[in-house]
Coordinates of all heavy atoms in Angstrom, one line a residue:
M1 N 130.6 -46.6 6.0 CA 131.3 -46.5 4.8 C 130.3 -46.0 3.7 O 130.6 -45.1 2.9 CB 131.9 -47.8 4.3 CG 132.6 -47.7 3.0 SD 133.5 -49.1 2.5 CE 132.4 -49.9 1.3
W2 N 129.1 -46.5 3.6 CA 128.1 -46.2 2.6 C 127.7 -44.7 2.8 O 127.4 -44.1 1.8 CB 126.9 -47.2 2.6 CG 127.2 -48.5 2.0 CD1 127.4 -49.7 2.7 CD2 127.5 -48.8 0.6 NE1 127.9 -50.7 1.7 CE2 127.8 -50.1 0.5 CE3 127.4 -47.9 -0.6 CZ2 128.2 -50.7 -0.8 CZ3 127.8 -48.6 -1.7 CH2 128.0 -49.9 -1.8
K3 N 127.6 -44.4 4.0 CA 127.1 -43.0 4.3 C 128.2 -42.0 3.7 O 127.7 -41.0 3.1 CB 127.1 -42.7 5.8 CG 126.6 -41.3 6.1 CD 126.4 -41.1 7.6 CE 126.0 -39.7 7.9 NZ 125.8 -39.4 9.3
I4 N 129.5 -42.3 3.8 CA 130.5 -41.5 3.3 C 130.4 -41.5 1.7 O 130.6 -40.4 1.1 CB 131.9 -41.9 3.7 CG1 132.0 -41.7 5.3 CG2 132.9 -41.2 3.0 CD1 133.2 -42.3 5.8
I5 N 130.2 -42.6 1.2 CA 130.1 -42.8 -0.3 C 128.9 -41.8 -0.8 O 129.1 -41.1 -1.7 CB 130.0 -44.2 -0.8 CG1 131.2 -45.0 -0.4 CG2 129.5 -44.3 -2.2 CD1 131.2 -46.5 -0.7
F6 N 127.8 -41.9 -0.2 CA 126.5 -41.3 -0.7 C 126.7 -39.8 -0.4 O 126.4 -39.0 -1.2 CB 125.4 -41.9 -0.1 CG 124.9 -43.2 -0.7 CD1 124.7 -44.2 0.2 CD2 124.6 -43.3 -2.0 CE1 124.4 -45.5 -0.3 CE2 124.3 -44.6 -2.6 CZ 124.1 -45.7 -1.7
T7 N 127.3 -39.4 0.7 CA 127.4 -37.9 1.0 C 128.4 -37.4 0.0 O 128.2 -36.3 -0.5 CB 127.9 -37.9 2.4 OG1 127.0 -38.4 3.4 CG2 128.2 -36.3 2.7
T8 N 129.5 -38.1 -0.3 CA 130.5 -37.5 -1.2 C 129.9 -37.5 -2.6 O 130.1 -36.4 -3.3 CB 131.8 -38.5 -1.3 OG1 132.3 -38.6 0.0 CG2 132.7 -37.9 -2.2
F9 N 129.1 -38.4 -3.1 CA 128.5 -38.5 -4.3 C 127.6 -37.2 -4.5 O 127.7 -36.5 -5.4 CB 127.7 -39.7 -4.6 CG 126.8 -39.6 -5.8 CD1 127.3 -40.0 -7.0 CD2 125.4 -39.2 -5.8 CE1 126.5 -39.9 -8.2 CE2 124.7 -39.1 -6.9 CZ 125.2 -39.5 -8.1
W10 N 126.7 -36.9 -3.5 CA 125.8 -35.9 -3.6 C 126.5 -34.5 -3.5 O 126.2 -33.6 -4.3 CB 124.6 -35.9 -2.5 CG 123.7 -37.0 -2.9 CD1 123.5 -38.2 -2.3 CD2 122.8 -37.0 -4.1 NE1 122.5 -38.9 -3.0 CE2 122.1 -38.1 -4.1 CE3 122.6 -36.1 -5.0 CZ2 121.1 -38.5 -5.0 CZ3 121.6 -36.4 -6.0 CH2 120.9 -37.6 -6.0
V11 N 127.5 -34.4 -2.7 CA 128.2 -33.1 -2.6 C 128.9 -32.8 -4.0 O 128.8 -31.7 -4.5 CB 129.3 -33.1 -1.4 CG1 130.1 -32.0 -1.5 CG2 128.6 -33.2 -0.2
V12 N 129.7 -33.8 -4.5 CA 130.3 -33.6 -5.8 C 129.3 -33.4 -6.9 O 129.4 -32.5 -7.7 CB 131.3 -34.6 -6.1 CG1 131.9 -34.6 -7.5 CG2 132.4 -34.7 -5.0
F13 N 128.2 -34.1 -6.9 CA 127.1 -34.1 -7.9 C 126.6 -32.7 -8.0 O 126.5 -32.1 -9.0 CB 126.1 -35.2 -7.8 CG 125.0 -35.2 -8.8 CD1 125.3 -35.6 -10.0 CD2 123.8 -34.6 -8.4 CE1 124.2 -35.6 -11.0 CE2 122.7 -34.5 -9.3 CZ 123.0 -35.1 -10.6
L14 N 126.2 -32.2 -6.9 CA 125.5 -30.9 -6.7 C 126.5 -29.8 -7.1 O 126.2 -28.8 -7.6 CB 124.9 -30.7 -5.4 CG 123.7 -31.6 -5.1 CD1 123.2 -31.4 -3.7 CD2 122.5 -31.3 -6.1
A15 N 127.8 -29.9 -6.6 CA 128.8 -28.9 -6.9 C 129.0 -28.7 -8.4 O 129.4 -27.7 -8.9 CB 130.0 -29.2 -6.1
E16 N 129.0 -29.9 -9.1 CA 129.3 -29.9 -10.5 C 128.2 -29.5 -11.4 O 128.5 -29.2 -12.5 CB 129.8 -31.3 -10.9 CG 131.2 -31.7 -10.3 CD 132.3 -30.8 -10.7 OE1 132.4 -30.4 -11.9 OE2 133.2 -30.5 -9.8
L17 N 127.0 -29.5 -10.9 CA 125.8 -29.2 -11.8 C 125.9 -27.7 -12.2 O 125.9 -26.8 -11.3 CB 124.5 -29.4 -11.1 CG 124.0 -30.8 -11.1 CD1 122.7 -30.8 -10.2 CD2 123.7 -31.3 -12.4
G18 N 125.8 -27.5 -13.5 CA 125.8 -26.1 -14.0 C 127.1 -25.4 -14.0 O 127.0 -24.1 -14.1
D19 N 128.2 -26.0 -13.6 CA 129.5 -25.3 -13.5 C 130.1 -25.1 -14.9 O 129.6 -25.7 -15.9 CB 130.4 -25.8 -12.4 CG 131.0 -27.2 -12.8 OD1 130.5 -27.8 -13.7 OD2 132.0 -27.6 -12.2
K20 N 131.3 -24.6 -14.9 CA 132.0 -24.4 -16.3 C 132.3 -25.7 -16.8 O 132.2 -25.8 -18.1 CB 133.2 -23.6 -16.1 CG 133.1 -22.1 -15.5 CD 134.3 -21.4 -15.4 CE 135.1 -22.1 -14.3 NZ 136.2 -21.4 -13.8
T21 N 132.6 -26.7 -16.0 CA 133.0 -28.0 -16.6 C 131.8 -28.6 -17.3 O 132.0 -29.1 -18.4 CB 133.4 -28.9 -15.5 OG1 134.6 -28.4 -14.8 CG2 133.9 -30.4 -16.0
Q22 N 130.7 -28.6 -16.7 CA 129.4 -29.2 -17.4 C 129.0 -28.4 -18.5 O 128.7 -29.0 -19.6 CB 128.3 -29.2 -16.4 CG 127.1 -30.0 -16.9 CD 125.9 -30.0 -16.0 OE1 125.7 -29.1 -15.3 NE2 125.2 -31.1 -16.0
L23 N 129.1 -27.1 -18.5 CA 128.9 -26.3 -19.7 C 129.8 -26.6 -20.9 O 129.4 -26.7 -22.1 CB 128.9 -24.8 -19.4 CG 127.8 -24.4 -18.3 CD1 128.0 -22.8 -18.0 CD2 126.4 -24.7 -18.9
S24 N 131.1 -26.7 -20.5 CA 132.1 -27.1 -21.6 C 131.9 -28.4 -22.1 O 132.0 -28.7 -23.3 CB 133.6 -27.1 -21.0 OG 133.9 -25.8 -20.4
T25 N 131.5 -29.4 -21.3 CA 131.2 -30.7 -21.7 C 130.0 -30.7 -22.7 O 130.0 -31.4 -23.6 CB 131.0 -31.7 -20.5 OG1 132.1 -31.6 -19.7 CG2 130.7 -33.1 -21.0
M26 N 128.9 -30.0 -22.4 CA 127.8 -29.8 -23.2 C 128.2 -29.3 -24.6 O 127.8 -29.7 -25.7 CB 126.7 -29.0 -22.6 CG 126.0 -29.7 -21.5 SD 124.5 -28.8 -21.0 CE 125.2 -27.4 -20.1
L27 N 129.1 -28.2 -24.6 CA 129.5 -27.6 -25.8 C 130.3 -28.7 -26.7 O 130.1 -28.8 -27.8 CB 130.4 -26.5 -25.6 CG 131.0 -25.8 -26.7 CD1 129.9 -25.2 -27.6 CD2 132.0 -24.6 -26.4
L28 N 131.2 -29.3 -26.0 CA 131.9 -30.5 -26.8 C 131.0 -31.6 -27.3 O 131.2 -32.0 -28.4 CB 133.0 -31.0 -25.8 CG 134.2 -30.2 -25.5 CD1 135.0 -30.8 -24.3 CD2 135.1 -30.0 -26.7
A29 N 130.1 -32.0 -26.5 CA 129.2 -33.0 -27.0 C 128.4 -32.5 -28.1 O 128.0 -33.3 -29.2 CB 128.2 -33.4 -25.8
S30 N 128.0 -31.1 -28.1 CA 127.2 -30.6 -29.2 C 128.0 -30.5 -30.6 O 127.4 -30.6 -31.5 CB 126.6 -29.3 -28.8 OG 127.6 -28.3 -28.8
K31 N 129.3 -30.4 -30.4 CA 130.2 -30.3 -31.6 C 130.7 -31.6 -32.1 O 131.2 -31.7 -33.2 CB 131.4 -29.3 -31.3 CG 131.0 -27.9 -31.1 CD 132.2 -27.0 -30.9 CE 131.8 -25.6 -30.9 NZ 132.9 -24.7 -30.7
S32 N 130.5 -32.7 -31.3 CA 131.1 -33.9 -31.6 C 130.1 -34.8 -32.4 O 128.8 -34.7 -32.1 CB 131.4 -34.7 -30.3 OG 131.9 -36.0 -30.6
K33 N 130.6 -35.6 -33.2 CA 129.7 -36.6 -33.8 C 129.1 -37.7 -33.0 O 128.1 -38.3 -33.2 CB 130.3 -37.1 -35.2 CG 130.6 -36.2 -36.1 CD 131.3 -36.8 -37.4 CE 131.6 -35.7 -38.4 NZ 132.2 -36.2 -39.6
S34 N 130.0 -38.0 -31.9 CA 129.7 -39.1 -31.1 C 129.8 -38.6 -29.6 O 130.9 -38.0 -29.2 CB 130.5 -40.3 -31.3 OG 130.3 -41.3 -30.3
S35 N 128.8 -38.8 -28.8 CA 128.8 -38.3 -27.4 C 129.7 -39.2 -26.5 O 130.2 -38.7 -25.5 CB 127.5 -38.3 -26.9 OG 126.7 -37.3 -27.6
L36 N 129.9 -40.5 -26.8 CA 130.6 -41.5 -26.0 C 132.0 -41.0 -25.7 O 132.4 -41.0 -24.5 CB 130.5 -42.8 -26.5 CG 131.1 -43.9 -25.7 CD1 130.4 -44.0 -24.3 CD2 131.1 -45.3 -26.4
P37 N 132.8 -40.6 -26.7 CA 134.2 -40.1 -26.3 C 134.2 -38.9 -25.5 O 135.0 -38.8 -24.6 CB 134.8 -39.8 -27.8 CG 134.0 -40.6 -28.7 CD 132.6 -40.6 -28.1
V38 N 133.2 -38.0 -25.7 CA 133.1 -36.8 -24.8 C 132.8 -37.3 -23.3 O 133.5 -36.8 -22.4 CB 132.1 -35.8 -25.3 CG1 131.9 -34.6 -24.3 CG2 132.4 -35.4 -26.7
F39 N 131.8 -38.2 -23.2 CA 131.5 -38.7 -21.9 C 132.7 -39.4 -21.2 O 133.1 -39.1 -20.0 CB 130.4 -39.6 -21.9 CG 130.1 -40.4 -20.6 CD1 129.6 -39.7 -19.6 CD2 130.5 -41.7 -20.4 CE1 129.4 -40.4 -18.3 CE2 130.4 -42.4 -19.3 CZ 129.8 -41.7 -18.2
M40 N 133.5 -40.1 -22.0 CA 134.6 -40.9 -21.5 C 135.8 -40.0 -21.0 O 136.3 -40.2 -20.0 CB 135.1 -42.0 -22.5 CG 134.1 -43.0 -22.7 SD 134.6 -44.2 -24.0 CE 136.1 -44.7 -23.5
G41 N 136.0 -39.0 -21.8 CA 137.0 -38.0 -21.5 C 136.6 -37.1 -20.2 O 137.5 -37.0 -19.3
A42 N 135.3 -36.8 -20.1 CA 134.9 -35.9 -19.0 C 134.9 -36.7 -17.8 O 135.3 -36.3 -16.8 CB 133.6 -35.4 -19.3
A43 N 134.4 -37.9 -17.9 CA 134.4 -38.8 -16.8 C 135.8 -39.2 -16.3 O 136.1 -39.1 -15.0 CB 133.6 -40.1 -17.0
S44 N 136.7 -39.4 -17.1 CA 138.1 -39.7 -16.7 C 138.7 -38.5 -16.0 O 139.4 -38.8 -15.0 CB 138.9 -40.1 -18.0 OG 138.3 -41.2 -18.6
A45 N 138.5 -37.4 -16.6 CA 139.0 -36.1 -16.0 C 138.4 -35.9 -14.6 O 139.2 -35.5 -13.7 CB 138.6 -34.9 -16.9
L46 N 137.2 -36.2 -14.3 CA 136.6 -36.0 -13.1 C 137.2 -37.0 -12.1 O 137.4 -36.7 -10.8 CB 135.1 -36.0 -13.1 CG 134.4 -35.8 -11.8 CD1 134.7 -34.5 -11.2 CD2 132.8 -35.9 -12.0
V47 N 137.3 -38.2 -12.5 CA 137.9 -39.2 -11.8 C 139.3 -38.9 -11.3 O 139.7 -39.0 -10.1 CB 137.8 -40.7 -12.3 CG1 138.7 -41.7 -11.6 CG2 136.4 -41.1 -12.5
L48 N 140.1 -38.4 -12.3 CA 141.5 -38.1 -12.0 C 141.6 -36.9 -11.0 O 142.4 -37.0 -10.1 CB 142.3 -37.8 -13.2 CG 143.8 -37.5 -13.1 CD1 144.5 -38.6 -12.4 CD2 144.3 -37.2 -14.5
S49 N 140.8 -35.9 -11.3 CA 140.9 -34.7 -10.4 C 140.3 -35.1 -9.0 O 141.0 -34.6 -7.9 CB 140.1 -33.6 -10.9 OG 138.7 -33.9 -11.0
S50 N 139.5 -35.9 -8.9 CA 138.9 -36.4 -7.6 C 140.0 -37.2 -6.9 O 140.3 -37.1 -5.7 CB 137.7 -37.3 -7.7 OG 136.6 -36.6 -8.3
L51 N 140.8 -38.1 -7.7 CA 141.9 -38.8 -7.0 C 142.9 -37.9 -6.5 O 143.5 -38.1 -5.5 CB 142.5 -39.8 -8.1 CG 143.6 -40.6 -7.6 CD1 143.3 -41.5 -6.5 CD2 144.2 -41.4 -8.9
I52 N 143.3 -37.0 -7.3 CA 144.3 -35.9 -6.8 C 143.8 -35.3 -5.5 O 144.5 -35.1 -4.6 CB 144.6 -34.9 -7.9 CG1 145.3 -35.6 -9.1 CG2 145.3 -33.8 -7.5 CD1 145.4 -34.8 -10.4
G53 N 142.5 -34.9 -5.5 CA 141.9 -34.3 -4.3 C 142.0 -35.2 -3.1 O 142.3 -34.7 -2.0
V54 N 141.8 -36.4 -3.3 CA 141.7 -37.4 -2.2 C 143.1 -37.7 -1.7 O 143.4 -37.6 -0.5 CB 141.1 -38.7 -2.6 CG1 141.3 -39.9 -1.6 CG2 139.5 -38.6 -2.8
I55 N 144.1 -37.8 -2.7 CA 145.5 -38.0 -2.2 C 146.0 -36.8 -1.5 O 146.6 -37.0 -0.5 CB 146.4 -38.3 -3.4 CG1 146.0 -39.7 -3.9 CG2 147.9 -38.2 -3.1 CD1 146.6 -40.1 -5.3
C56 N 145.7 -35.6 -2.0 CA 146.2 -34.3 -1.3 C 145.5 -34.2 0.0 O 146.2 -33.9 1.0 CB 146.0 -33.2 -2.2 SG 147.0 -33.1 -3.7
G57 N 144.3 -34.5 0.1 CA 143.6 -34.4 1.4 C 144.1 -35.3 2.4 O 144.3 -35.0 3.6
D58 N 144.4 -36.5 2.0 CA 145.0 -37.5 2.9 C 146.3 -37.1 3.4 O 146.8 -37.3 4.6 CB 145.1 -38.9 2.1 CG 145.4 -40.0 3.1 OD1 144.8 -40.1 4.1 OD2 146.2 -40.9 2.7
I59 N 147.2 -36.6 2.5 CA 148.5 -36.1 2.9 C 148.5 -34.9 3.9 O 149.2 -34.9 4.9 CB 149.4 -35.8 1.7 CG1 149.8 -37.1 0.9 CG2 150.6 -35.1 2.0 CD1 150.4 -36.9 -0.5
L60 N 147.6 -33.9 3.5 CA 147.4 -32.7 4.4 C 146.9 -33.2 5.7 O 147.4 -32.6 6.8 CB 146.4 -31.7 3.7 CG 146.9 -30.9 2.6 CD1 145.8 -30.1 2.0 CD2 148.1 -30.0 3.1
H61 N 146.0 -34.1 5.8 CA 145.4 -34.6 7.1 C 146.4 -35.1 8.0 O 146.2 -35.1 9.2 CB 144.3 -35.6 6.7 CG 143.6 -36.0 8.0 ND1 142.9 -35.1 8.8 CD2 143.6 -37.2 8.6 CE1 142.4 -35.8 9.9 NE2 142.8 -37.1 9.7
K62 N 147.5 -35.7 7.5 CA 148.5 -36.3 8.3 C 149.4 -35.2 9.0 O 150.0 -35.5 10.1 CB 149.4 -37.1 7.5 CG 148.8 -38.5 6.9 CD 149.7 -39.2 6.1 CE 148.9 -40.4 5.7 NZ 149.8 -41.2 4.7
Y63 N 149.4 -33.9 8.4 CA 150.2 -32.8 9.0 C 149.4 -31.7 9.5 O 150.0 -31.0 10.4 CB 151.1 -32.4 7.9 CG 152.0 -33.4 7.3 CD1 151.9 -34.1 6.1 CD2 153.1 -34.0 8.1 CE1 152.6 -35.0 5.6 CE2 153.9 -34.9 7.6 CZ 153.7 -35.5 6.4 OH 154.5 -36.5 5.9
I64 N 148.2 -31.6 9.1 CA 147.4 -30.4 9.5 C 146.1 -31.0 10.0 O 145.4 -31.7 9.3 CB 147.1 -29.5 8.3 CG1 148.5 -29.0 7.7 CG2 146.3 -28.3 8.7 CD1 148.3 -28.2 6.5
P65 N 145.6 -30.5 11.1 CA 144.3 -30.9 11.7 C 143.1 -30.5 10.7 O 143.2 -29.5 10.1 CB 144.1 -30.2 13.0 CG 145.5 -29.9 13.5 CD 146.3 -29.6 12.1
A66 N 142.1 -31.5 10.7 CA 141.0 -31.3 9.8 C 140.4 -30.0 9.9 O 139.8 -29.4 9.0 CB 140.1 -32.4 10.0
Q67 N 140.3 -29.4 11.2 CA 139.6 -28.1 11.4 C 140.3 -27.1 10.7 O 139.6 -26.1 10.2 CB 139.7 -27.9 12.9 CG 138.9 -26.6 13.3 CD 138.9 -26.3 14.7 OE1 139.4 -27.1 15.5 NE2 138.3 -25.2 15.1
Y68 N 141.6 -27.1 10.6 CA 142.4 -25.9 10.0 C 142.3 -26.1 8.5 O 142.1 -25.2 7.7 CB 143.9 -26.1 10.3 CG 144.2 -25.6 11.7 CD1 145.0 -26.4 12.5 CD2 143.5 -24.6 12.4 CE1 145.3 -26.2 13.9 CE2 143.8 -24.3 13.7 CZ 144.7 -25.1 14.4 OH 144.9 -24.8 15.7
I69 N 142.1 -27.4 7.9 CA 141.9 -27.6 6.5 C 140.5 -27.0 6.1 O 140.4 -26.3 5.1 CB 141.9 -29.1 6.1 CG1 143.4 -29.5 6.3 CG2 141.6 -29.3 4.6 CD1 143.6 -30.9 6.3
Q70 N 139.5 -27.3 7.0 CA 138.1 -26.8 6.7 C 138.1 -25.2 6.7 O 137.5 -24.5 5.9 CB 137.1 -27.2 7.7 CG 136.8 -28.7 7.5 CD 135.9 -29.3 8.6 OE1 135.9 -28.7 9.8 NE2 135.3 -30.3 8.3
I71 N 138.8 -24.6 7.6 CA 138.9 -23.1 7.7 C 139.6 -22.7 6.6 O 139.1 -21.6 6.0 CB 139.6 -22.7 9.1 CG1 138.7 -23.0 10.2 CG2 139.9 -21.2 9.1 CD1 139.4 -22.9 11.6
G72 N 140.7 -23.2 6.2 CA 141.4 -22.8 4.8 C 140.6 -22.9 3.7 O 140.5 -22.0 2.9
A73 N 139.8 -24.0 3.6 CA 139.0 -24.1 2.3 C 137.9 -23.1 2.4 O 137.5 -22.5 1.3 CB 138.4 -25.5 2.4
G74 N 137.3 -22.8 3.5 CA 136.3 -21.8 3.7 C 136.7 -20.4 3.3 O 136.1 -19.7 2.5
I75 N 138.0 -20.1 3.8 CA 138.5 -18.7 3.5 C 138.8 -18.7 2.0 O 138.6 -17.6 1.4 CB 139.8 -18.6 4.3 CG1 139.4 -18.3 5.8 CG2 140.6 -17.3 3.8 CD1 140.5 -18.2 6.7
S76 N 139.3 -19.7 1.4 CA 139.6 -19.8 0.0 C 138.3 -19.6 -0.9 O 138.4 -18.8 -1.7 CB 140.2 -21.1 -0.5 OG 141.5 -21.3 0.2
F77 N 137.2 -20.3 -0.5 CA 136.0 -20.1 -1.2 C 135.5 -18.7 -1.2 O 135.0 -18.0 -2.1 CB 135.0 -21.1 -0.7 CG 135.1 -22.4 -1.4 CD1 135.3 -23.5 -0.6 CD2 134.9 -22.6 -2.7 CE1 135.4 -24.8 -1.0 CE2 135.0 -23.9 -3.2 CZ 135.3 -25.0 -2.3
I78 N 135.6 -18.0 0.0 CA 135.2 -16.7 0.2 C 136.1 -15.8 -0.6 O 135.5 -14.8 -1.3 CB 135.2 -16.2 1.7 CG1 134.1 -17.0 2.5 CG2 135.1 -14.7 1.9 CD1 134.2 -16.9 3.9
L79 N 137.4 -15.9 -0.7 CA 138.3 -15.1 -1.5 C 138.0 -15.2 -3.0 O 137.9 -14.2 -3.6 CB 139.8 -15.4 -1.1 CG 140.2 -15.0 0.3 CD1 141.6 -15.4 0.5 CD2 140.1 -13.4 0.4
I80 N 137.8 -16.5 -3.4 CA 137.5 -16.7 -4.8 C 136.1 -16.0 -5.1 O 136.0 -15.3 -6.2 CB 137.4 -18.2 -5.1 CG1 138.9 -18.8 -5.0 CG2 136.8 -18.4 -6.4 CD1 138.9 -20.3 -5.0
G81 N 135.2 -16.0 -4.2 CA 133.8 -15.5 -4.5 C 134.1 -13.9 -4.6 O 133.5 -13.3 -5.5
I82 N 134.8 -13.3 -3.7 CA 135.1 -11.9 -3.8 C 135.7 -11.5 -5.1 O 135.4 -10.6 -5.7 CB 135.9 -11.5 -2.5 CG1 134.9 -11.6 -1.3 CG2 136.4 -10.1 -2.6 CD1 135.8 -11.4 0.0
L83 N 136.8 -12.3 -5.4 CA 137.5 -12.0 -6.6 C 136.6 -12.1 -7.9 O 136.7 -11.2 -8.9 CB 138.8 -12.8 -6.8 CG 139.8 -12.7 -5.8 CD1 140.9 -13.8 -6.0 CD2 140.4 -11.3 -6.0
L84 N 135.8 -13.0 -7.9 CA 134.8 -13.2 -9.0 C 133.8 -12.1 -9.1 O 133.5 -11.6 -10.2 CB 134.0 -14.5 -9.0 CG 134.8 -15.7 -9.3 CD1 134.0 -17.0 -9.0 CD2 135.2 -15.8 -10.7
L85 N 133.3 -11.6 -7.9 CA 132.4 -10.4 -7.9 C 133.2 -9.1 -8.3 O 132.5 -8.3 -9.0 CB 131.9 -10.1 -6.5 CG 130.8 -11.2 -6.1 CD1 130.5 -11.1 -4.5 CD2 129.6 -11.2 -6.8
I86 N 134.4 -9.0 -7.9 CA 135.1 -7.8 -8.3 C 135.4 -7.8 -9.8 O 135.4 -6.7 -10.5 CB 136.5 -7.7 -7.5 CG1 136.1 -7.3 -6.1 CG2 137.4 -6.6 -8.1 CD1 137.4 -7.4 -5.2
G87 N 135.6 -8.9 -10.4 CA 135.9 -9.0 -11.7 C 137.3 -9.4 -12.1 O 137.8 -9.3 -13.3

């Protein structure tokens, strides 16, 4: 159990570093008089989006083998990367 927790933590932590969400949060914090509400809002949003991802993954896993989900996710990331490069 702890291995899954730490692996998930590091994967999500590294994926979120320097992305649009973190940059937006820095901008909001720089414009706010208090950083605590910005932190609470950003943390709540990440928790909620993670919950949605876990629930959707759990439902998908019941109907689609994990291998197909991984392949679909990989193809999606490649397509998004290509679309971002194209502009």
Side-chain angles (χ1 to χ4, degrees):
M1 180 172 103
W2 286 105
K3 182 179 179 182
I4 294 170
I5 291 171
F6 287 122
T7 301
T8 304
F9 172 84
W10 284 111
V11 167
V12 172
F13 178 76
L14 293 174
E16 293 297 323
L17 278 179
D19 74 343
K20 294 180 297 191
T21 305
Q22 188 179 35
L23 297 174
S24 299
T25 304
M26 284 191 289
L27 178 63
L28 288 169
S30 70
K31 291 184 174 185
S32 175
K33 292 181 182 177
S34 175
S35 298
L36 184 60
V38 175
F39 170 75
M40 291 173 61
S44 299
L46 184 56
V47 167
L48 181 59
S49 66
S50 296
L51 177 64
I52 292 169
V54 169
I55 290 170
C56 289
D58 190 44
I59 291 169
L60 283 175
H61 181 65
K62 291 178 183 177
Y63 301 103
I64 302 171
Q67 181 180 1
Y68 294 136
I69 296 172
Q70 289 176 336
I71 291 169
I75 291 170
S76 297
F77 278 117
I78 291 169
L79 289 175
I80 290 170
I82 291 170
L83 292 173
L84 286 172
L85 287 173
I86 292 172

